Amino acid sequence: MKIAVPDRRSPFRAIDDYGMLLVLLLLAAFFSVCTFNEQHPSGADAGIQVADFIANGHFTNVLIVVRDTVEDGEFADAVEMRLAERDIDVLSTVRGGPGDVRVAIDKILSEGGRIDAVAANDVSAKWTIFDRYVDVGREKCVTPQPYRWPDFLKRSNLLGVANQTAIYAIIAVGMTMVIMTAGIDLSVGSLVALSSVTAAVLIRKAGGVECGLPAMIAACFAGIVVCSLSGLFTGLMVTRFGVPPFIVSLSVMMMASGIAFRISEGRSVPEVSQSFLWIGGSNIMGVPSPVWMMGIIYLVAHWVMSRTVFGRYVYAIGGNPEASRLSGVPVGPVLLAVYVLSGALAGAGGIILSSKLAAGDPKFGDMYELDVIAAVVVGGTSLMGGEGRIFGTLIGAFIIATIKNGMNLTDVDPFNQKIALGAVLLGAVLVDRLKRRP
């Protein structure tokens, strides 16, 4: 007897594969149009632009005014460096608020100085403090040239969407495999919290902020192992005792949450080392590290599901577990492996989240299971089992994230956002049911 696997040559399969990608692109285009606004450059490039304008205008006495932020600091540094190259005198650089500007201007004027130009960005140039001085005024503020571009397509926004999606998407890999076997795992949100506090508490015991790298790695590994064992327990209940996955995972969800609160004594655990913060808070070549992790995990998962015997077994069990068993497929071990992977990836998500937020917390992961399941279903994985794609889940995760981000950018009411997301999930399930009609 042959094992049924998805027919990759089917035209309907091609429609499924590219249909959701088309939906994602259409959503991106729609929110791009809705958020097409005037943009104001910032950072080092904007600083160079302002400095060049000042130099070309032959201004000789310049005051630089920015807020005390990283991006504004880059702007100010670029202006200073560029003006120094042109031998233009920088009277003072203010990094703060209007009160700091007043102090700086008073000092310059009291010493007999003259301000020819104020290098500022769009925010600081609007401060009314300049209008209080007849010899200054906001008309002397030189700002970067604005341009029109969609807020949605700004690099910072796209990276933010990808960074926020990474944790959900990573957990969704395991959930995809579970749902492909016609199962469900409601415990992933609580496992995120359990992994989070397990790692944080162990890091605290190993020295907290002074914890060494080997101890930190061991603590993270322990958090993932605990969640893997939880997944193993879920799998054993399903395979050995025949308990429905919904009931088992619901029970594990409550138990894991309770254990997380017990371990942390109901409080956040912020005593973590700097090396731990690197996991979820660093950038590699300008891209957040969680996004890199997400990409690697999806590539490996895609290879496993499309090129290995294990992947074919997962599809086969979801299609017909009894026929698979009669065909020699080790149904029990495969199901165990699937639930263990789901638990491990939820644990990894908890580690990344704790690293990003610089603490372990038993409240982390609340309602994550709903967003993860929504991403899997929207991505084309059937709740009936036997059908789905790893990269479809990734697209589904980005569809959910794009809808959320787009509605935030367009100031949609939070209550209406819930209605819209619920409708999207229902629509995805309805499409799956219609596809299965004879």
Side-chain angles (χ1 to χ4, degrees):
M1 183 180 297
K2 294 183 179 180
I3 296 175
V5 295
D7 181 8
R8 298 181 180 85
R9 298 169 298 178
S10 168
F12 295 103
R13 174 62 58 183
I15 292 173
D16 287 345
D17 287 340
Y18 298 107
M20 298 312 296
L21 180 58
L22 178 61
V23 169
L24 177 59
L25 294 176
L26 289 175
L27 283 171
F30 173 75
F31 286 121
S32 296
V33 172
C34 292
T35 60
F36 198 82
N37 294 311
E38 185 176 81
Q39 306 294 335
H40 299 275
S42 59
D45 291 339
I48 293 173
Q49 180 189 135
V50 167
D52 287 343
F53 183 87
I54 290 173
N56 294 334
H58 304 292
F59 299 109
T60 55
N61 300 292
V62 180
L63 172 65
I64 301 174
V65 177
V66 295
R67 296 165 299 175
D68 188 17
T69 65
V70 174
E71 196 170 45
D72 281 18
E74 295 173 351
F75 172 88
D77 292 339
V79 173
E80 288 179 343
M81 185 178 300
R82 196 74 163 187
L83 292 180
E85 295 173 356
R86 302 291 187 92
D87 295 324
I88 296 176
D89 183 27
V90 175
L91 299 173
S92 179
T93 299
V94 179
R95 302 171 190 252
D100 301 303
V101 176
R102 179 179 57 79
V103 172
I105 294 177
D106 287 341
K107 181 179 180 182
I108 293 171
L109 296 180
S110 65
E111 295 175 352
R114 185 183 77 255
I115 299 175
D116 295 326
V118 178
N121 57 26
D122 176 64
V123 177
S124 56
K126 294 177 180 178
W127 291 344
T128 58
I129 186 66
F130 302 109
D131 295 329
R132 298 182 183 180
Y133 298 88
V134 177
D135 296 331
V136 184
R138 274 187 287 182
E139 63 273 6
K140 288 190 176 182
C141 291
V142 180
T143 60
Q145 186 66 30
Y147 61 95
R148 295 189 67 80
W149 185 256
D151 290 335
F152 179 80
L153 291 182
K154 290 170 66 175
R155 183 176 184 274
S156 58
N157 183 65
L158 293 177
L159 284 178
V161 170
N163 194 21
Q164 293 169 9
T165 306
I167 295 176
Y168 294 105
I170 288 171
I171 301 172
V173 170
M175 184 68 76
T176 301
M177 296 182 184
V178 170
I179 293 179
M180 281 181 182
T181 64
I184 197 74
D185 188 356
L186 300 177
S187 66
V188 291
S190 295
L191 294 183
V192 167
L194 180 59
S195 172
S196 168
V197 299
T198 298
V201 168
L202 290 176
I203 290 174
R204 182 175 63 186
K205 290 185 177 180
V209 294
E210 303 297 330
C211 177
L213 181 61
M216 185 276 293
I217 294 175
C220 295
F221 182 73
I224 295 174
V225 168
V226 168
C227 294
S228 300
L229 293 175
S230 176
L232 178 63
F233 174 79
T234 301
L236 286 173
M237 292 294 104
V238 172
T239 57
R240 294 295 179 90
F241 299 97
V243 182
F246 179 88
I247 299 300
V248 179
S249 59
L250 182 62
S251 302
V252 172
M253 176 182 74
M254 292 187 286
M255 290 189 291
S257 178
I259 294 172
F261 275 95
R262 175 60 61 190
I263 292 175
S264 64
E265 298 179 344
R267 297 191 296 269
S268 177
V269 185
E271 299 90 354
V272 293
S273 62
Q274 191 66 35
S275 57
F276 178 71
L277 302 182
W278 183 89
I279 297 173
S282 61
N283 286 277
I284 302 173
M285 294 186 292
V287 178
S289 53
V291 178
W292 287 105
M293 297 177 199
M294 175 184 67
I296 293 171
I297 289 173
Y298 268 85
L299 287 173
V300 172
H302 173 71
W303 177 80
V304 169
M305 294 303 296
S306 62
R307 294 289 183 267
T308 68
V309 174
F310 175 79
R312 291 195 291 271
Y313 283 171
V314 171
Y315 279 112
I317 293 171
N320 192 324
E322 183 59 23
S324 300
R325 185 185 65 80
L326 295 174
S327 301
V329 175
V331 176
V334 171
L335 287 176
L336 282 176
V338 164
Y339 281 100
V340 169
L341 282 171
S342 180
L345 290 171
I351 297 297
I352 297 171
L353 182 61
S354 293
S355 175
K356 289 176 65 174
L357 300 180
D361 197 300
K363 295 183 291 295
F364 285 170
D366 185 37
M367 305 299 287
Y368 269 36
E369 58 275 359
L370 299 184
D371 286 320
V372 169
I373 293 172
V376 174
V377 174
V378 170
T381 299
S382 174
L383 290 171
M384 305 301 292
E387 183 179 342
R389 300 166 307 284
I390 291 295
F391 278 123
T393 295
L394 180 60
I395 293 172
F398 274 102
I399 286 176
I400 298 296
T402 298
I403 292 173
K404 286 183 176 180
N405 179 254
M407 289 192 294
N408 286 332
L409 291 176
T410 52
D411 296 323
V412 176
D413 185 272
F415 304 127
N416 292 332
Q417 290 189 27
K418 289 186 176 183
I419 295 172
L421 290 171
V424 169
L425 179 57
L426 180 60
V429 176
L430 182 59
V431 169
D432 175 63
R433 297 295 298 174
L434 292 176
K435 286 193 309 183
R436 290 178 172 269
R437 279 188 176 182

